[in-house]
Amino acid sequence: MSGGFSLDPFWQQPARSYGVAALAPAGTQGALQPVLAQIAATAMPCGLRLVPSSHQHLSIYAVAPVRQNFDKDAYWAANAAKVETELRAWAATLPPVMLRFSGLRATPTAVIAVADDSSEAAEAVWGLRRHLAAILPPSPDGAPRYDLIHITLARYAAPDFAARIAALPVDLEFPLQQVVLLRETRYPALEFDILATLPLGVPSPVSPESVA
């Protein structure tokens, strides 16, 4: 194995996490198909595992991150109402925005599409992350840290194709029209429950029962 790449041990494993995400709409899923095909053609045979387009999503904030080990159900129960209240207030004042992804990157365990970071849409995501980090008590393993906005497209065992992946063209639009609260049960979001759906720019009353 070369390049420091490794098998992601969480792949397809039962998992428990809670977070804020945006599911890829149908148009974005369709636009991802040729990108995934290019990745597959470039990477094979490297033990590539493509994330199904129907499960592609933008992870906005991990309230109880999958890779941390603590009682996530208890932490969520204690903070769910605050998360939904703050998220509803944020979503109600923000009109739908468009994120653009124009670069691919190979991390030690994944191929990701990286969003342009200078747009108003990107700043809206960063603003929400900063706000949630400020109001939520840190989990026992610490608050999540972010250095980019991305969609995970594939995971793998031992490829040596980082430069080739980065050279692939991508011009992907992701209309951010609503966000969801997710309870993940199989990684990476291969199985999950939607606890609440919050459209952007549409005021809605708080419904504590929706995050149970």
Side-chain angles (χ1 to χ4, degrees):
M1 297 184 181
S2 60
F5 294 98
S6 61
L7 176 67
D8 188 334
F10 284 84
W11 175 260
Q12 289 187 336
Q13 295 302 307
R16 174 71 85 206
S17 72
Y18 292 88
V20 183
L23 304 180
T28 303
Q29 292 180 27
L32 280 170
Q33 292 304 316
V35 178
L36 295 173
Q38 289 184 81
I39 293 171
T42 302
M44 292 302 187
C46 296
L48 191 74
R49 298 172 170 90
L50 296 174
V51 177
S53 58
S54 59
H55 292 260
Q56 299 288 357
H57 64 283
L58 172 68
S59 296
I60 296 177
Y61 192 84
V63 178
V66 67
R67 295 178 186 273
Q68 295 184 4
N69 186 22
F70 62 95
D71 189 342
K72 297 170 187 177
D73 291 326
Y75 180 83
W76 174 252
N79 293 284
K82 177 183 289 186
V83 171
E84 185 178 12
T85 297
E86 296 295 331
L87 191 57
R88 286 186 183 277
W90 174 84
T93 59
L94 180 70
V97 293
M98 183 72 74
L99 286 165
R100 182 174 293 277
F101 294 78
S102 57
L104 295 178
R105 187 181 303 178
T107 76
T109 58
V111 178
I112 63 175
V114 181
D116 296 344
D117 211 22
S118 59
S119 67
E120 291 184 8
E123 179 52 36
V125 174
W126 283 112
L128 177 61
R129 286 174 170 175
R130 290 190 295 266
H131 182 61
L132 291 177
I135 66 165
L136 288 176
S139 70
D141 289 341
R145 296 181 179 180
Y146 297 99
D147 57 3
L148 46 78
I149 299 169
H150 74 282
I151 304 170
T152 299
L153 303 179
R155 295 183 181 271
Y156 43 68
D160 184 17
F161 58 88
R164 285 181 288 152
I165 285 293
L168 292 176
V170 58
D171 185 7
L172 180 69
E173 290 186 336
F174 190 118
L176 186 58
Q177 300 170 322
Q178 64 182 22
V179 294
V180 296
L181 291 173
L182 289 184
R183 174 171 51 220
E184 182 179 37
T185 56
R186 186 172 296 274
Y187 186 79
L190 298 177
E191 295 178 8
F192 55 83
D193 303 313
I194 296 178
L195 305 179
T197 299
L198 302 105
L200 300 189
V202 180
S204 57
V206 174
S207 176
E209 293 78 15
S210 66
V211 298

